[in-house]
């Protein structure tokens, strides 16, 4: 079963305290689609410019990602650059160049309008709305977001919440969007705004899943070295929707497993820059780490 993923496709420049790299493959749709591709076919909707390297398109094709919804426009690809402090949880955005994104309308290939599982990866809420406007009757819609949209297009984002089954955001964003410090209370307030399910990510401290009469807490994999956490949130969302679509289920047990699979892919992603760690990864590697998560959280 396919998943439809809309988001950014970017050329990233990333600097940590140890390394700096330019023109890396990045963007929320890139990370999320590759993450989802471990579980089944992904359909990617986005836009790139004339400078987008063919090798990156080959990478998508190699993962079986259908790029029929990836528009190619005159001009430059969306470009983002960021820098991590010694504490890799702290990142500063150095620059953002919207480029081809400025005029982007995510129009779906007609055959994709019936896709049942949809991820609105991090992108302007107005574009997330535009995708939903074209969908027929999606079975499960997940939306991801970021602090920028809470600060600049709050009304669009709040309107979107009524249209989705699940919202993913991190702890500081949950507090910022609700003005509530307690995460369980913020979660209740967010769920009252629309989504039946809510995942609150807490970086290296794992994530929380909230639903009707449902609470689940998943840890994060204990990585000894984090090389580059860029895209971990997108990998979490992509792995989650990919697993849901593959299991064709949206009950609490499926959501719990999906949260863990999302965490597994995100943990691998942090082990190298851009999508490099995921390129050589197999489904067996993913399942082995999934079992490790199970072992780490079991108790009598
Ligand atoms: P994450 O580390 O999960 O927050 O995702 C980082 C990715 O998000 C990078 O690859 C960026 O290219 C992409 N990104 C950064 N800012 C934006 C934005 N305003 N809209 C869409 N994608 C963005």
């Amino acid at each position: 079963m396919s998943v439809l993923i809309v988001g950014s496709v970017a050329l990233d420049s990333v600097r940590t305290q140890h390394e700096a790299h330019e023109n890396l493959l990045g963007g929320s749709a890139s990370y999320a689609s590759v993450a989802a591709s471990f579980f089944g076919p992904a359909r990617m909707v986005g836009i790139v410019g004339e400078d987008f390297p063919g090798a990156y398109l080959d990478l998508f094709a190699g993962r079986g990602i259908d790029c029929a919804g990836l528009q190619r426009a005159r001009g430059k690809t969306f470009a983002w650059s960021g820098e991590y402090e010694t504490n890799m949880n702290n990142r500063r955005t150095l620059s953002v160049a919207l480029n081809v994104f400025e005029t982007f309308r995510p129009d779906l290939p007609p055959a994709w309008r019936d896709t049942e599982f949809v991820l609105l990866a991090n992108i302007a809420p107005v574009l997330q709305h535009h995708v939903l406007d074209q969908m027929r009757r999606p079975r499960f819609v997940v939306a991801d977001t970021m602090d920028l949209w809470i600060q600049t297009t709050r009304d669009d984002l709040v309107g979107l919440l009524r249209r989705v089954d699940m919202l993913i955001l991190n702890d500081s964003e949950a507090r910022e969007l609700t003005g509530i410090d307690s995460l369980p209370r913020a979660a209740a307030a967010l769920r009252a705004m629309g989504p039946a399910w809510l995942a609150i990510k807490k970086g290296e401290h794992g994530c929380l899943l909230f639903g009707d009469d449902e609470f689940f807490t998943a840890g994060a994999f204990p990585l000894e070295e984090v090389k580059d956490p860029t895209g971990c949130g997108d990998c979490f969302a992509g792995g989650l929707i990919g697993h849901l679509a593959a299991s064709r289920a949206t009950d609490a047990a499926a959501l719990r497993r999906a949260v863990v699979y999302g965490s597994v892919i995100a943990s691998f992603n942090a082990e190298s820059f851009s999508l490099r760690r995921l390129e050589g990864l197999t489904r067996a590697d993913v399942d082995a780490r999934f079992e490790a998560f199970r072992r780490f959280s079991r108790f009598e």
Side-chain angles (χ1 to χ4, degrees), residues 144-145 168-173 183 199-203 206-208 232-234 236-237:
D144 193 5
T145 195
I168 299 176
L169 74 189
N170 67 31
D171 48 359
S172 62
E173 290 160 354
L183 288 181
I200 299 185
K201 299 168 292 173
K202 301 193 298 165
C207 80
L208 308 175
C232 283
D234 311 312
F236 173 82

Side-chain angles (χ1 to χ4, degrees), residues 8 10 12 26-27 31 78 80 91 122 146 148-149 229-234:
S8 59
D12 286 350
Y31 280 108
F78 172 71
W80 172 84
R91 177 173 82 195
N122 177 31
M146 72 187 294
L148 177 68
W149 313 123
T230 307
C232 283
D234 311 312

Side-chain angles (χ1 to χ4, degrees), residues 199-280:
I200 299 185
K201 299 168 292 173
K202 301 193 298 165
E204 62 175 334
H205 304 297
C207 80
L208 308 175
L209 172 70
F210 297 87
D212 260 346
D213 295 322
E214 177 68 17
F215 173 72
F216 176 60
T217 169
F221 190 77
L223 290 177
E224 289 188 10
E225 188 188 18
V226 171
K227 275 243 163 135
D228 172 18
T230 307
C232 283
D234 311 312
C235 286
F236 173 82
L240 183 149
I241 195 83
H243 178 71
L244 284 182
S247 65
R248 293 168 179 256
T250 58
D251 58 302
L255 262 296
R256 284 179 175 225
R257 281 194 303 274
V259 157
V260 175
Y261 271 117
S263 305
V264 165
I265 307 281
S267 73
F268 279 117
N269 178 60
E271 292 178 358
S272 194
F273 280 77
S274 186
L275 284 145
R276 285 176 196 158
R277 182 67 179 98
L278 302 193
E279 276 179 69

Side-chain angles (χ1 to χ4, degrees), residues 112-176:
W112 289 12
R113 292 180 185 184
D114 291 315
T115 315
E116 290 188 28
F117 289 82
V118 179
L119 172 62
L120 307 171
N122 177 31
I123 194 175
V126 67
L127 301 179
Q128 296 175 315
H129 276 285
H130 184 67
V131 167
L132 285 187
D133 290 345
Q134 298 165 73
M135 302 295 306
R136 292 223 172 80
R137 281 175 65 106
R139 180 163 160 203
F140 201 82
V141 179
V142 177
D144 193 5
T145 195
M146 72 187 294
D147 53 356
L148 177 68
W149 313 123
I150 297 172
Q151 290 150 14
T152 60
T153 58
R154 190 179 194 282
D155 291 349
D156 288 342
L157 177 59
V158 169
L160 184 80
L161 298 187
R162 287 193 292 275
R163 307 182 69 186
V164 305
D165 300 286
M166 181 175 200
L167 174 68
I168 299 176
L169 74 189
N170 67 31
D171 48 359
S172 62
E173 290 160 354
R175 292 185 170 114
E176 189 172 354

